[in-house]
Amino acid sequence: MRWCSSSMLHPLRCVRVRSCARRGKNTVPLWIREVWAYMRLLVQSLYFSSLTDSDVVFDSVFEPVFWTVDYVTRWFGTVFVCLVVILTGSILAIAYLILLPMIFRTYTPLWIAWHVCYGHWNMVMIIFHYYKAITTSPGSPPTEKNGSPFVAVCKKCIIPKPARTHHCGICNRCILKMDHHCPWLNNCVGHFNHRYFFSFCVALAVGCVYCSISGRNLFIEAYNAIERFKHLDGEKPGVPVTGMGVLIGLLPPGQTTYQTAAPPHTFKEKLIHKSIIYMWVLTSTVAVALGSLTLWHAVLISRGETSIERHINSKERNRVVKRGGVYRNPFNHGRLNNWKIFLGVEKTSHWLTRVLLPSGHAPPGDGLKWDVFPVKKDLIPV
């Protein structure tokens, strides 16, 4: 620049100012810059430190996919809840409008009393526990500083996490003793509503099995009636039938017979038969699917672990076994004690008032502190 005269510096400065002004006018849109900055951050996170492993790389690369799935699941939660209400309501409508009058006409008083009492008890258990599972918060750790023990710090919430606490990307918060996020509840299953979720699954599965078994004969009759209606609708009454009768020797040659006219069947009868078929197919399908899920959760409860802890304990068990040790779940107090703690049974009468009847009692503990040493004696002598 020192070889340039002062007369040349002024035009160069003008050209530089104009080029800067043009760059300002051609600025890339903000949303593109944000996406580009986010992608650069993801790439940089892959080699952020020496502690980076395959899990960190996987989470970083698929973070947009996880975010999309969480957003869609959060939005569809309300749709799933409405679907459960509609399907359950349709089964109740069929039971009250079709099956109950049929029971009163054909069954003995003892069987009528059984079906009425059991059916209404099962219905109350389903409605109560589903409502409580939806409306009860699973519980979250406090955001302010306190003296509660914690085992880690959530990298998303940036708050201390107590034992058995995990972050839910759909709810966007940490959940105490998180089991999983259930889209059919539009809520997480955690410390304070885990019992409601499991009781709802048991009540609904048992109710579907009850409807499937008790309605089997009605389903067969309705299915046969529908098939008979289709067959008779395809026939034309009054058509002469001579060939088959002559061949088998039942009719002499030249004699003609006619098919019997199809019996009249109304729209109401068709609707009743199709409703029974719909009820049986739906309840049987739900009984198989939900029954399998309920049995799996029962196994987890017997072991004193949640769905998430099942995977964590499996990895930890393999790690300890490779070192020649024996791993034991620190929250497993024995099968019977695990069920007593889970159901909140503290005395003998609670098996009736808290298990077989609807109960809104809270689970033992606050979800922040846990007894981690297994004991061989009964925690609750019931």
Side-chain angles (χ1 to χ4, degrees), residues 33 48 57 74 126 144 155 172 179 217 239 259 266 268 272 316 341 358:
R33 285 184 291 163
F48 179 73
V57 174
R74 188 185 305 116
I126 292 174
E144 65 276 1
K155 62 181 180 180
N172 198 23
D179 187 90
N217 294 332
V239 177
Q259 292 179 349
T266 62
K268 181 180 178 180
I272 291 175
E316 189 67 15
I341 296 172

Side-chain angles (χ1 to χ4, degrees), residues 56-177:
V56 176
V57 174
F58 183 83
D59 293 342
S60 301
V61 172
F62 287 92
E63 181 67 22
V65 179
F66 296 151
W67 181 87
T68 304
V69 172
D70 293 344
Y71 178 80
V72 173
T73 305
R74 188 185 305 116
W75 187 86
F76 270 95
T78 305
V79 178
F80 287 148
V81 171
C82 293
L83 187 60
V84 171
V85 174
I86 292 173
L87 294 178
T88 306
S90 64
I91 299 300
L92 292 178
I94 294 173
Y96 275 103
L97 299 178
I98 297 176
L99 299 183
L100 199 58
M102 190 181 301
I103 289 174
F104 283 127
R105 289 195 306 265
T106 57
Y107 283 31
T108 61
L110 185 60
W111 277 109
I112 292 175
W114 155 253
H115 284 292
V116 170
C117 294
Y118 176 80
H120 284 85
W121 170 81
N122 204 340
M123 180 187 67
V124 171
M125 293 288 287
I126 292 174
I127 295 176
F128 173 82
H129 288 106
Y130 188 65
Y131 173 78
K132 295 293 289 185
I134 292 176
T135 58
T136 302
S137 173
S140 299
T143 56
E144 65 276 1
K145 185 178 180 180
N146 55 35
S148 301
F150 62 95
V151 296
V153 176
C154 180
K155 62 181 180 180
K156 296 184 178 181
C157 296
I158 318 299
I159 60 174
K161 288 199 307 182
R164 315 186 79 177
T165 299
H166 303 278
H167 184 86
C168 176
I170 301 174
C171 296
N172 198 23
R173 57 174 177 165
C174 288
I175 304 298
L176 299 177
K177 205 193 82 169

Side-chain angles (χ1 to χ4, degrees), residues 230-241 257-262:
K230 291 181 180 179
H231 177 69
L232 293 176
D233 286 342
E235 295 178 350
K236 296 181 179 179
V239 177
V241 180
T257 185
Y258 293 87
Q259 292 179 349
T260 305

Side-chain angles (χ1 to χ4, degrees), residues 84-320:
V84 171
V85 174
I86 292 173
L87 294 178
T88 306
S90 64
I91 299 300
L92 292 178
I94 294 173
Y96 275 103
L97 299 178
I98 297 176
L99 299 183
L100 199 58
M102 190 181 301
I103 289 174
F104 283 127
R105 289 195 306 265
T106 57
Y107 283 31
T108 61
L110 185 60
W111 277 109
I112 292 175
W114 155 253
H115 284 292
V116 170
C117 294
Y118 176 80
H120 284 85
W121 170 81
N122 204 340
M123 180 187 67
V124 171
M125 293 288 287
I126 292 174
I127 295 176
F128 173 82
H129 288 106
Y130 188 65
Y131 173 78
K132 295 293 289 185
I134 292 176
T135 58
T136 302
S137 173
S140 299
T143 56
E144 65 276 1
K145 185 178 180 180
N146 55 35
S148 301
F150 62 95
V151 296
V153 176
C154 180
K155 62 181 180 180
K156 296 184 178 181
C157 296
I158 318 299
I159 60 174
K161 288 199 307 182
R164 315 186 79 177
T165 299
H166 303 278
H167 184 86
C168 176
I170 301 174
C171 296
N172 198 23
R173 57 174 177 165
C174 288
I175 304 298
L176 299 177
K177 205 193 82 169
M178 179 179 176
D179 187 90
H180 69 286
H181 183 93
C182 181
W184 299 101
L185 301 179
N186 194 24
N187 195 8
C188 264
V189 177
H191 177 63
F192 291 102
N193 65 347
H194 194 179
R195 180 179 65 86
Y196 296 131
F197 164 77
F198 181 77
S199 298
F200 163 73
C201 291
V202 172
L204 186 59
V206 171
C208 290
V209 171
Y210 163 74
C211 291
S212 179
I213 295 176
S214 61
R216 178 179 176 273
N217 294 332
L218 294 176
F219 164 76
I220 295 175
E221 294 175 1
Y223 181 80
N224 292 334
I226 293 292
E227 291 297 321
R228 184 169 62 253
F229 290 156
K230 291 181 180 179
H231 177 69
L232 293 176
D233 286 342
E235 295 178 350
K236 296 181 179 179
V239 177
V241 180
T242 57
M244 185 60 67
V246 173
L247 287 177
I248 63 178
L250 296 178
L251 297 177
Q255 186 173 348
T256 303
T257 185
Y258 293 87
Q259 292 179 349
T260 305
H265 50 278
T266 62
F267 174 78
K268 181 180 178 180
E269 293 175 346
K270 288 184 178 180
L271 182 61
I272 291 175
H273 293 311
K274 291 182 179 180
S275 298
I276 293 175
I277 294 175
Y278 161 78
M279 182 201 70
W280 191 86
V281 172
L282 179 61
T283 55
S284 300
T285 304
V286 175
V288 174
L290 188 60
S292 303
L293 177 66
T294 305
L295 290 177
W296 171 244
H297 278 280
V299 172
L300 294 179
I301 295 170
S302 300
R303 297 173 178 174
E305 58 186 8
T306 62
S307 299
I308 297 178
E309 292 172 351
R310 167 64 178 161
H311 300 285
I312 297 175
N313 292 339
S314 178
K315 292 182 179 180
E316 189 67 15
R317 186 177 297 106
N318 294 334
R319 185 184 68 85
V320 174

